[in-house]
């Protein structure tokens, strides 16, 4: 990415300010750095360029969310059936259908609104302040009021409020990871940069959104708001295309099929009724009953409930689900493009090793002594009591001392003088009095510290050079500690190796992902050595590192051939990450992308599952499907695991629901052909579909992960949840129930009403038994974790079904008739026989079998 800044209006634009001398930038922006802008001039510029802030993403109102949920095809079809039932005088049936609409619409609206509100809370922090010189006075101003030409003063710990051309620096170290992905601090310099370099190579700018980890600086604002490098990426992104998920497409296909069946059944039932001379109202009511039986109103309810409760479970584990269909895609992810900084690592510098030419300092006493000397050498460590925020190296040393049982500086030395790093002297220096002796210490860039100790014997100096060279190849950041006493010669004391440490449990998470057949590709702006060291530590053994420059040299054919073997891409820029995502998706991969910075947003937009960090930028969150509250890759693997559980439960629920419709439609069709004008009442169908079906199918959400689920490869992209082979088995299972119910209505019962209720009870009991039997289509039920909620639902449905004939109002509404023991035994035999066969086949052969 070229390092360019977009142009503000009214002559306040500067092309490539990083390539211009700082005094030229000040002159072109009419700035006197010693005084800053005049208040009146700043107000005029603010009017011309606007506030220094990014535009908030558009939020849909509750009414729009409600309209979107209410106009889904399933909902519209169900609404039409309800209106027809009411128009025909079946007000009770019609109202029950309308009640069934509430969970369909409500779950979708509530979940989407909750996601919007959670993101608003993340943005709700008050505007940060910037330390600015105006009218010769330094004051803290709200960052949104900054304008091009303002002079901003930066201190350790500050977040840079706008794009600044550095005017003066004093040991400035910047964390640019939100823009470049580089995790280790980089210096900020006053001298101009060479033309044509990338954003990651710029040193003369402090960009908005980056942070100061050490030193101080003054910078001239050259771009604000949408015109910063941060904002240019955000505004350059087109609104993300929200592709319908495979499951949504599958449900669309299912509703089309069942709609055709419904229309055909309506034509058959009403046509035969008229042909047989039945009353018109009865014929139309029979057609409405057939339509209600055919319209698949339960699948969207099932999907909304399972995905909605799944989102709640994920939220309890620090995963905010912004878009529900991402949960489905999680179950199919086979490639993860992950950041290193902050996702695999903790995004902080920690002391990894302390060693001298004789080897590492391994004893606690030796490490304490060296680390205390290193802390005394840091200028900011002496000023912690005054409220000064420590730099990243000082924080790392303090943390290492804390692990060894020490806190802060002991009082055995008194400070005489201390100075932080500068551009000319890239190390911190301190002078302290210890008794009668004066101790000077320096810590910083190894080559500079060794320059102080050039009076050492050549072999000793060479040993220190060799130690530094060896450590430089291990991917960390080295600093060298040296001291001298009473103005004697400088003597190096130790090399401190700092690194961004791996987060807890990352190695286990990586191993789990790989065991599940998910390829992990680390894409980072870090140096190749740093990237490889972290990848190997995380468990990507033998990780070969490819650089962004190498990717650019490959055409799409070669990159596609190499993609399956890639593990680490270092020195990557956003365009390369985006290219990897697009190429992988074109080759049928289901891709998840993690990111926290503005540089990640393009790839997040293109991914199947976009995962932002909770501590990341608003741009990344706006582009995301999921937000990880704790930023950890380990949390993402939990989400992947949960995604597989969710999609398995959706499949079980759909198998159950589709088999219900097959049984109902099959029974209605063949019963109509056999001469029954109204084999099932609308209220009976609604009871079976909206209440019995949902009370059991929603219980599938409580189904725990099946044994070995994470040892299986991801579901291939494009493979439907309900394959053709599975649909054939479902039709056979539902058809068996339909045929048995028809045989009962033909040959049993003391009256037509009695026979009809017996057939209906058979359909009900067969379905609830099928619900429990098909919790897994491969494993027998005794090998599955217990689902007491589903068992309770199944039991409750059968108890209610048995009680209906004895409840006066309900008995009349349902035309329920008591059944004797022989009839109940017959119902049980018909319901249990397919289940018993399925359990035997699954246990003995391991084949997929639908009960």
């Amino acid at each position: 990415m070229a390092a360019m800044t977009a142009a503000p209006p009214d002559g306040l634009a500067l092309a490539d300010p990083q390539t211009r001398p700082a005094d030229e930038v000040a002159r072109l922006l009419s700035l006197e750095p010693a005084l800053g802008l005049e208040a009146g001039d700043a107000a005029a510029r603010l009017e011309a360029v606007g506030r220094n802030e990014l535009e908030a993403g558009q939020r849909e109102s509750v009414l729009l969310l409600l309209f979107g949920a209410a106009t889904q095809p399933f909902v519209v079809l169900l609404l039409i059936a309800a209106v027809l039932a009411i128009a025909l005088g079946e007000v009770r049936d019609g109202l029950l259908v309308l009640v069934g609409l509430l969970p369909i619409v409500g779950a979708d609206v509530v979940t989407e609104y909750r996601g919007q509100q959670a993101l608003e809370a993340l943005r709700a922090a008050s505007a940060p302040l910037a330390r600015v010189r105006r009218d010769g006075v330094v004051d803290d101003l709200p960052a949104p009021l900054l304008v091009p030409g303002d002079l901003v003063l930066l201190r350790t710990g500050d977040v840079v409020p706008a794009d600044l051309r550095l005017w003066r620096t004093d040991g400035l170290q910047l964390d640019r990871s939100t823009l470049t992905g580089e995790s280790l601090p980089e210096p900020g310099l006053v001298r101009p940069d060479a033309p044509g370099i990338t954003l990651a190579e710029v040193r003369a700018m402090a960009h908005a959104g980056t942070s100061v980890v050490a030193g101080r600086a003054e910078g001239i604002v050259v771009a604000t708001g949408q015109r910063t490098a941060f904002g240019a990426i955000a505004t350059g992104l087109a609104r993300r295309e929200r592709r319908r998920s495979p499951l949504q497409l599958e449900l669309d296909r299912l509703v089309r099929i069942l709609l055709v069946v419904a229309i055909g059944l309506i034509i058959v039932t009403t046509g035969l009724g008229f042909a047989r001379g039945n009353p018109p109202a009865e014929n139309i009511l029979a057609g409405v009953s057939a339509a209600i039986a055919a319209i698949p109103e339960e699948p969207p309810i099932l999907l909304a409930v399972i995905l909605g409760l799944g989102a709640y479970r994920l939220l309890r584990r620090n995963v905010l689900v912004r878009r529900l269909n991402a949960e489905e895609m999680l179950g199919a992810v086979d490639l993860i493009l992950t950041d290193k900084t902050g996702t695999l690592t903790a995004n902080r510098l920690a002391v990894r090793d302390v060693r001298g030419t004789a080897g590492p300092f391994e004893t606690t006493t030796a490490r304490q002594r060296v680390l205390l000397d290193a802390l005394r050498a840091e200028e900011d460590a002496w000023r912690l009591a005054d409220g000064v925020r420590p730099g990243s190296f000082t924080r790392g040393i303090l943390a290492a001392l804390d692990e060894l049982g020490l806190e802060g500086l002991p009082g055995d030395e008194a400070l005489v003088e201390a100075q932080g790093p500068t551009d000319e002297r890239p190390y911190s220096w301190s002078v302290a009095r210890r008794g009668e002796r004066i101790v000077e210490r320096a810590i910083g860039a190894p080559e500079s510290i060794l320059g102080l100790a050039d009076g050492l014997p050549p072999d000793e100096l060479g040993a220190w050079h060799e130690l530094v060279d060896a450590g430089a190849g291990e991917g960390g950041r080295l600093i060298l500690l040296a001291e001298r006493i009473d103005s004697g010669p400088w003597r190096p004391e130790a090399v401190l190796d700092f690194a961004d440490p791996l987060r807890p449990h990352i190695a286990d998470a990586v191993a789990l992902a790989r065991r599940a057949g998910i390829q992990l590709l680390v894409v980072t702006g870090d140096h190749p050595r740093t990237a490889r060291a972290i990848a190997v530590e995380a468990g990507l053994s033998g990780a070969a590192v490819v650089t962004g420059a190498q990717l650019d040299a490959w055409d799409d054919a070669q990159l596609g051939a190499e993609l399956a073997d890639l593990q680490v891409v270092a020195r990557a820029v956003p365009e390369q990450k985006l290219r990897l995502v697009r190429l992988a998706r074109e080759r049928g991969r289901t891709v998840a992308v993690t990111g926290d910075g503005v540089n990640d947003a393009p790839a997040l937009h293109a991914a199947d599952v976009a995962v932002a960090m909770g501590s990341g930028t608003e741009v990344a969150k706006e582009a995301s499907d999921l937000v990880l509250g704790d930023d950890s890759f380990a949390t993402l693997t939990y989400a992947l695991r949960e995604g597989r559980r969710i999609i398995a439960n959706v499949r079980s629920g759909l198998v159950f629901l589709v088999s219900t419709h097959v049984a109902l439609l099959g029974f209605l069709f063949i019963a109509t052909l056999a001469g029954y004008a109204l084999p099932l009442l609308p209220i009976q169908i609604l009871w079976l579909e909206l209440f019995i079906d949902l009370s059991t199918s929603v219980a599938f959400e409580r189904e725990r992960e099946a044994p070995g689920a994470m040892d299986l490869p991801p579901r291939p992209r494009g493979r439907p949840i309900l394959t053709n082979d599975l649909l054939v088995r479902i039709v056979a299972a539902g058809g068996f129930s339909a045929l048995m119910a028809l045989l009962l209505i033909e040959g049993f019962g003391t009256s037509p009403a009695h026979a009809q209720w017996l057939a209906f009870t058979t359909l009900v009991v067969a379905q609830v038994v099928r619900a429990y039997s098909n919790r897994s289509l491969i494993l027998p039920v005794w090998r599955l974790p217990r689902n007491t909620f589903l068992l309770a639902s199944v039991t409750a449905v059968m108890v209610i079904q048995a009680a209906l004939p004895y409840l006066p109002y309900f008995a009349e509404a349902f035309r329920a008739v008591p059944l004797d023991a022989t009839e109940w035994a017959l119902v049980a035999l018909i319901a249990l026989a397919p289940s018993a066969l399925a359990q035997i086949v699954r246990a003995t052969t391991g084949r997929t079998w639908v009960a």
Side-chain angles (χ1 to χ4, degrees), residues 336-347 500-504 506 509-510 520 522 534 577 593-596 600 611-613 615 628 630-636:
I336 303 174
L337 271 67
T338 180
D339 277 350
K340 178 189 73 65
T341 306
T343 306
L344 298 179
T345 66
N347 197 19
D500 187 3
L502 208 63
R503 282 181 174 273
I506 291 298
V510 170
L520 182 62
V522 181
I534 287 295
K577 193 171 186 179
V593 173
T594 73
D596 58 357
D600 298 307
V611 185
M613 305 298 113
S615 64
L628 303 184
D630 61 1
D631 297 1
S632 177
F633 182 82
T635 302
L636 175 58

Side-chain angles (χ1 to χ4, degrees), residues 39 125 135 277 282 297 336 364 410 419 437 447:
D135 291 323
E282 184 177 293
E297 64 273 5
I336 303 174
T364 299
Q419 296 180 10
R437 315 200 74 172
E447 60 275 10

Side-chain angles (χ1 to χ4, degrees), residues 531-544:
R532 185 182 187 282
I534 287 295
V536 171
E537 187 179 358
L540 297 175
S541 56

Side-chain angles (χ1 to χ4, degrees), residues 675-729:
Y676 291 91
L678 196 62
L680 291 178
L681 299 174
I683 193 171
Q684 291 174 334
I685 297 173
L686 287 169
W687 164 243
L688 182 59
E689 290 194 350
L690 284 182
F691 294 95
I692 295 179
D693 279 7
L694 288 177
S695 67
T696 49
S697 64
V698 168
F700 282 115
E701 194 281 329
R702 302 291 294 272
E703 196 70 41
R704 286 181 282 173
E705 179 184 297
M710 291 303 285
D711 294 326
L712 301 174
R715 178 168 55 93
R717 187 184 190 89
R719 175 187 292 177
I721 293 178
L722 302 181
T723 61
N724 291 335
D725 178 65
L726 187 56
L727 284 173
V728 169
R729 297 170 188 266

Side-chain angles (χ1 to χ4, degrees), residues 228-250:
T228 61
F230 190 108
I233 296 176
T235 55
L237 295 171
R239 187 173 181 84
R240 185 180 181 188
E241 175 192 358
R242 293 298 164 193
R243 299 176 289 268
R244 291 185 69 76
S245 71
L247 183 53
Q248 289 173 318
L249 295 174
E250 192 166 344

Side-chain angles (χ1 to χ4, degrees), residues 198-536:
T198 65
L199 184 66
E201 298 170 305
V202 169
R203 296 292 179 268
M205 295 281 294
H207 289 102
T210 62
S211 57
V212 180
V213 297
R216 295 175 289 272
E218 295 180 8
I220 303 168
V221 176
V222 294
T224 59
Q226 304 292 121
R227 294 169 293 276
T228 61
F230 190 108
I233 296 176
T235 55
L237 295 171
R239 187 173 181 84
R240 185 180 181 188
E241 175 192 358
R242 293 298 164 193
R243 299 176 289 268
R244 291 185 69 76
S245 71
L247 183 53
Q248 289 173 318
L249 295 174
E250 192 166 344
L251 290 182
D252 290 345
R253 178 174 65 97
L254 181 63
V255 75
R256 286 195 298 269
I257 293 172
L258 291 179
L259 181 59
V260 170
V261 173
I263 294 173
L265 190 56
I266 291 169
I267 293 173
V268 170
T269 53
T270 55
L272 286 176
F274 281 112
R276 291 166 178 164
N278 296 332
E282 184 177 293
N283 295 333
I284 295 175
L285 187 60
V288 171
S289 297
I292 293 174
I295 294 172
E297 64 273 5
E298 309 98 333
I301 302 176
L302 170 75
L303 190 60
V305 171
I306 289 184
L307 295 184
L309 291 178
Y312 173 72
R313 291 175 185 272
L314 287 169
L315 186 62
R316 293 171 62 186
R317 291 292 295 266
N318 279 327
V319 182
L320 169 66
V321 179
R322 297 192 62 225
R323 297 176 182 89
L324 287 182
N325 65 2
E327 295 177 64
E328 175 210 342
M329 300 304 294
L330 279 171
V333 166
D334 62 0
L335 173 63
I336 303 174
L337 271 67
T338 180
D339 277 350
K340 178 189 73 65
T341 306
T343 306
L344 298 179
T345 66
N347 197 19
R348 61 178 174 83
L349 286 181
V351 178
R352 181 170 63 181
D353 191 21
V354 181
R355 68 174 59 232
T357 53
F361 293 89
E362 295 179 339
T363 67
T364 299
T365 301
R367 288 180 68 87
Q368 286 177 337
R369 175 179 57 80
V370 172
L371 289 170
L372 280 174
D373 284 349
L375 191 62
R376 292 185 179 108
E378 293 283 3
E379 176 260 349
D380 56 358
W382 292 96
R383 301 192 292 135
L384 294 177
D386 299 330
V388 172
R389 287 172 289 189
S392 55
F393 291 108
T394 301
R395 287 198 301 271
I397 295 170
L398 286 168
L401 284 169
D402 183 64
E403 292 177 1
L404 297 175
L406 296 179
E407 183 177 349
L409 286 172
D412 56 348
E413 293 188 10
L415 178 66
V416 175
E417 183 182 1
Q419 296 180 10
T422 65
D423 294 341
E424 294 75 23
R425 192 194 66 247
Y427 55 84
S428 183
W429 168 77
S430 71
V431 183
R433 183 180 301 277
R434 186 172 62 203
E436 298 299 322
R437 315 200 74 172
I438 298 295
V439 182
E440 292 180 72
R441 297 183 179 90
I443 189 168
E447 60 275 10
S448 299
I449 300 297
L450 289 176
L452 296 176
D454 57 1
L456 289 176
D459 56 342
E460 185 176 350
L461 187 61
W464 282 105
H465 276 289
E466 290 176 4
L467 179 62
V468 169
D469 292 342
E474 297 178 1
R477 175 63 61 86
L478 302 182
I479 59 175
L480 182 60
L481 169 67
E483 71 172 20
R484 67 174 178 173
I485 299 176
D486 296 333
S487 300
W490 283 98
R491 302 194 65 86
E493 185 176 354
V495 170
L496 280 68
D497 183 357
F498 287 80
D500 187 3
L502 208 63
R503 282 181 174 273
H505 312 301
I506 291 298
D508 292 339
V510 170
L512 176 65
R514 299 183 76 184
R515 194 177 82 228
I518 301 171
Q519 179 186 355
L520 182 62
L521 177 53
V522 181
V523 183
T524 177
D526 270 329
H527 191 281
R529 288 196 302 266
T530 305
R532 185 182 187 282
I534 287 295
V536 171

Side-chain angles (χ1 to χ4, degrees), residues 37-211:
L37 294 179
E38 295 180 356
D41 187 11
R45 296 186 186 202
L46 183 64
E47 180 70 22
V49 302
R51 291 169 64 87
N52 176 36
E53 55 192 8
L54 299 181
E55 296 178 2
Q58 291 185 346
R59 294 285 179 229
E60 292 184 349
S61 67
V62 175
L63 289 178
L64 285 176
L65 293 175
L66 187 62
F67 178 78
T71 54
Q72 296 179 42
F74 290 104
V75 179
V76 173
L77 288 172
L78 194 58
L79 182 61
I80 292 172
V83 171
L84 284 175
I86 293 172
L88 291 169
E90 298 293 333
V91 177
R92 177 178 51 202
D93 296 343
L95 292 178
L96 286 173
V97 175
L98 293 177
V99 169
L101 288 172
L102 296 179
I104 301 175
V105 176
D108 195 15
V109 172
V110 169
T111 303
E112 187 70 21
Y113 181 75
R114 185 177 61 192
Q116 290 189 174
Q117 290 298 105
L119 274 182
E120 287 294 341
L122 290 173
R123 182 186 286 122
S126 57
L129 296 177
R131 195 160 182 79
V132 183
R133 181 180 295 137
R134 284 184 181 176
D135 291 323
V137 177
V138 175
D139 197 6
D140 289 330
L141 294 178
L145 301 183
L146 290 179
V147 296
D150 264 324
L151 191 82
V152 176
L153 285 67
L154 298 175
R155 300 162 294 185
T156 299
D158 286 349
V159 175
V160 180
D163 280 1
L164 309 179
R165 173 61 172 94
L166 294 173
W167 168 260
R168 180 175 295 131
T169 62
D170 186 3
L172 181 65
Q173 294 282 322
L174 294 168
D175 177 0
R176 293 187 170 97
S177 59
T178 58
L179 279 177
T180 67
E182 172 62 65
S183 62
L184 297 176
E186 298 169 329
L189 306 174
V190 174
R191 67 171 181 264
D193 291 310
I197 62 174
T198 65
L199 184 66
E201 298 170 305
V202 169
R203 296 292 179 268
M205 295 281 294
H207 289 102
T210 62
S211 57

